[in-house]
DNA sequence: CAGTGAGCGAGCTTCCGCTTGACTT
């Protein structure tokens, strides 16, 4: 039995550290927090100075029991959790939950998992920093009070099951605000003028310095330029440098993996977790850009051996984020000589990105020479500018270029310019004036939302991905692609002394995998903003973080801070949930129908709906759901009235009535209690009985082909043809048909024994396949 | 999975941050 027990947070970390320490050490992990407030109830004794009612988390009872046993036997227990607010709290909870004598515990900290760092930590133990723990308790209790008092207000005043919190509600607000900016955006047109020139045999492009306001101005200029003479009047060479980006943090890794590899935030984290567990990279949840000395040396050696001394440049980076707690290193390869790794292609690609980014961060600047040539013309004062860029020394660009969120409108590709001298005349082959439109701010992607949250100091590396999935699960936002609309634009062209006009069309407003608010998200956001402005303020987290810091410095008692926050907050909660506050439904009156009945749209118990007529009127109002693609803020009176044209009755088929309507999954025909989706080309408002019968018959034919075998004696069991081949189903649970059996010839007895075997194996059954849970193959 | 939109009024829902686990006809 080892004399020493050292406890860290992550099992993978425990394995690594165990190798660094000798036989005298057993290294175990707590697997994160072990105690927390209870899930049910507020869990804070408000009357009793906000005393938290901690309990061992349900999924940690086993770990705690094991650690307790080991701690009892050990001579010394080393609490080696992270050196940040949460890590300090975990150490403190361990001390209490394991019931160890404080005298035989030591608190140790390190910022990197390297042998020298671990040994140095062991050599310099300290005690638990209670002030830091208190700052964590303040954070925890504040989040609980806000989340668990605000959410019930939403259940009463908006819709049951909703949630609100310090982080998620602001994340939703960002998306709602942005959506409104985009929809309110007024596109203003302007003209951009491009000249296509020749200098001797070489061709190049230059742009008019000034943008023109309208078509008249553009036409005037082009007419004036007929027969103009173009002369080079200035030429400047500007040397410039480019510096590599810092190594990855969680947030920057998520952004780059999204831009370069198209991964979602959670996908990136899943892959990174796997790379970390296999020992290929350092810890993936970090806000630090710091590299250990070991890493700096390793990267340098690799740059030297691959590219030579000219390319090596050791750099250290400082974090820009004020909220950073820097308990870990940046995300980097553990071994720089491994340029490639074994694994799935996703893993290889993400590793490659991490390797390149880290190596590039330790390489020389790129040296670039920019050339700017000014071309004047004889017809007016307006000048054309041509820019060229030549790389003198590629430096880190040999390995890595960071990509950019704003990739659109980068039409001025900068390249090599031909050699030109001042006073040289150049020839214009063509001058084009193209109509352009100003752009609204871009909608958020998952990754750009993370970037924004980090900049505001909201959320932590471990919560970015879960936060995004929470606000999706609550139905506040959706990630989707939307088709754009066509827009006409004008191009004027001056060629061979003639100006021609052309009208072209382009697609505008198309979005791919962007975040949009739902109607629920908008109503909840507006409600919270109206009543809880303080919490919805983008600076709320920053303010409370400042207070947590003063608690951590020992200058303030955590319960005082909470008390001061809670009193007015709770008062607002009471007032807002009382009967005096009206339910929030986001109701809009759209107008009146032909009979003068009121038409309105609002958020009902089951989602967005339109209402025709009033509830206190003689005849009851009619209701209809909004269909996919319709939104409460943008639906028109005409669109709303259209919704009441459904359901339509189409007549009978086999003595049963057919009706057509639109549901959650689009238009459908209903017949004899069954639903038949309308194909895209059919319009629910005009489709006729004949066509509906066709649709019903087609589906019935497909259903028939799906069935391989049924048994008269046991109608619950069916052998069916599915997406993944033949399978068996009983009482909505599915079973595999053994590969060596012919599904068409299985007997009922064989089926029953297969089902019995499968049930005995004890694996939990799923009623349906859940996508997104696929286990990576190859293991 | 394609209804419902209010009164009956049980019992439920919810936060953020630390960590990994699971398992598919």
């Amino acid at each position: 039995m080892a004399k020493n027990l050292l406890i860290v947070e992550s099992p993978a970390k425990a394995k690594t550290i165990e190798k660094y320490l000798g036989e005298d050490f057993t290294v175990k992990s707590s697997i994160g927090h072990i105690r927390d407030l209870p899930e049910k109830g507020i869990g804070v004794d408000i009357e009793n100075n906000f005393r938290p009612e901690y309990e061992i988390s349900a999924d940690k009872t086993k770990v705690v029991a094991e650690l307790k046993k080991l701690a009892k036997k050990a001579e010394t227990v080393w609490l080696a959790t992270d050196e940040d607010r949460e890590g300090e709290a975990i150490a403190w909870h361990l001390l209490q939950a394991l019931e160890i004598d404080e005298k035989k515990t030591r608190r140790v900290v390190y910022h990197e998992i390297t042998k020298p760092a671990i040994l140095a930590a062991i050599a310099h133990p300290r005690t638990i920093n209670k002030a830091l723990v208190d700052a964590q308790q303040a954070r925890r209790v504040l989040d609980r009070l806000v989340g668990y008092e605000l959410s019930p207000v939403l259940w009463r005043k908006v819709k049951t099951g909703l949630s609100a919190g310090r982080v998620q509600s602001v994340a939703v607000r960002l998306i709602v605000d942005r959506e409104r900016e985009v929809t309110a955006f007024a596109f203003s047109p302007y003209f951009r003028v491009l000249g296509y020139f020749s200098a001797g045999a070489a061709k190049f492009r230059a742009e008019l310095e000034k943008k023109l306001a309208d078509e008249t101005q553009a036409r005037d200029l082009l007419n004036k330029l007929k027969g103009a003479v173009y002369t080079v009047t200035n030429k400047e060479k500007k040397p410039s440098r480019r510096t590599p980006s810092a190594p990855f943090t969680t947030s920057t890794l998520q952004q780059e993996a999204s831009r370069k590899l198209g991964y979602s935030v959670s996908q990136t984290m899943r892959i990174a977790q796997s790379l970390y567990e296999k020992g290929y990279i350092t810890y993936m949840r970090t806000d630090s850009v710091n590299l250990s000395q070991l890493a700096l040396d390793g990267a340098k050696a690799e740059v030297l051996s691959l590219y030579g001394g000219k390319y090596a440049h050791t750099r250290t980076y400082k974090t820009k984020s004020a909220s950073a707690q820097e308990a870990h290193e940046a995300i980097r390869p553990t071994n720089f000589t491994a340029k490639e790794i074994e694994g799935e292609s996703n893993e290889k690609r993400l590793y490659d990105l991490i390797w390149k980014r880290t190596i590039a961060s330790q390489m020389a600047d790129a040296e670039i020479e920019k050339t700017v040539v000014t071309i004047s013309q004889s017809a007016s004062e307006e000048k054309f500018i041509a820019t060229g860029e030549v790389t003198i020394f590629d430096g880190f660009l040999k390995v890595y270029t960071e990509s950019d969120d704003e990739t659109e409108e980068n039409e001025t590709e900068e390249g090599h310019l031909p050699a030109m001298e001042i006073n040289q005349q150049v020839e214009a082959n063509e001058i084009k004036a193209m109509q352009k439109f100003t752009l609204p701010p871009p909608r958020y992607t998952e990754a750009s939302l993370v970037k924004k949250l980090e900049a505001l100091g909201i959320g932590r590396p471990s919560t970015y991905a879960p936060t995004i999935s929470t606000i999706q699960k609550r139905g506040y936002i959706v990630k989707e692609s939307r088709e754009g609309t066509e827009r006409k634009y004008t191009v004027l062209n001056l060629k061979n002394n003639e100006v021609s006009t052309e009208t072209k069309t382009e697609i505008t407003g198309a979005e791919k995998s962007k975040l949009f608010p739902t109607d629920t998200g908008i109503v909840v956001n507006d409600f919270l903003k109206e009543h809880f402005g303080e919490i919805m303020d983008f600076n709320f987290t920053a303010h409370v973080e400042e207070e947590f810091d003063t608690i951590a410095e020992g200058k303030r008692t955590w319960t005082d801070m909470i008390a001061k926050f809670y009193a007015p907050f709770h008062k607002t909660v009471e007032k807002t949930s009382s009967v005096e506050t009206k339910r929030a439904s986001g109701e809009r009156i759209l107008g009146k129908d032909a009979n003068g009945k009121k038409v309105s749209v609002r958020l009902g118990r089951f989602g967005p709906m339109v209402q025709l007529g009033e509830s206190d009127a003689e005849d009851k109002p009619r209701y209809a759901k909004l269909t996919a693609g319709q939104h409460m803020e943008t639906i028109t009176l005409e669109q709303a009235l259209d919704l009441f044209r459904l359901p339509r009755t189409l007549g009978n088929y086999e003595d049963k009535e057919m009706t057509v309507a639109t549901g959650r999954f689009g238009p459908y025909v209903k017949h004899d209690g069954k639903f038949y989706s309308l194909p895209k080309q059919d319009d629910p408002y005009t489709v006729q009985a004949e066509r509906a019968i066709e649709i019903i018959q087609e589906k019935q034919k497909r259903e028939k082909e799906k069935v391989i075998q049924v048994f008269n004696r046991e109608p619950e069991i069916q052998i069916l043809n599915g997406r993944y081949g033949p399978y068996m189903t009983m009482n909505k649970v599915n079973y595999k048909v053994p590969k060596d059996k012919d599904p068409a010839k299985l007997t009922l007895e064989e089926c029953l024994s297969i089902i019995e075997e499968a049930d005995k194996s004890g694996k939990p059954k799923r009623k349906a396949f859940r996508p997104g849970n696929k286990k990576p193959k190859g293991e």
Side-chain angles (χ1 to χ4, degrees), chain A residues 481-505:
Chain A
S481 300
R482 290 190 186 171
E483 279 173 29
T485 51
E486 281 192 352
R487 174 170 66 190
K488 290 199 160 35
Y489 69 100
T490 309
V491 180
L492 305 178
N493 199 356
L494 169 63
K495 202 174 177 181
N496 303 326
N497 277 332
E498 259 180 65
V499 176
S500 61
T501 312
E502 219 183 325
T503 306
K504 293 186 168 185
T505 48

Side-chain angles (χ1 to χ4, degrees), chain A residues 88 107 126-134 552:
Chain A
E88 201 70 18
R107 169 81 172 115
R126 59 168 174 80
T127 53
I128 286 176
N129 179 348
K130 190 61 195 330
L132 194 54
V133 173
D134 285 348

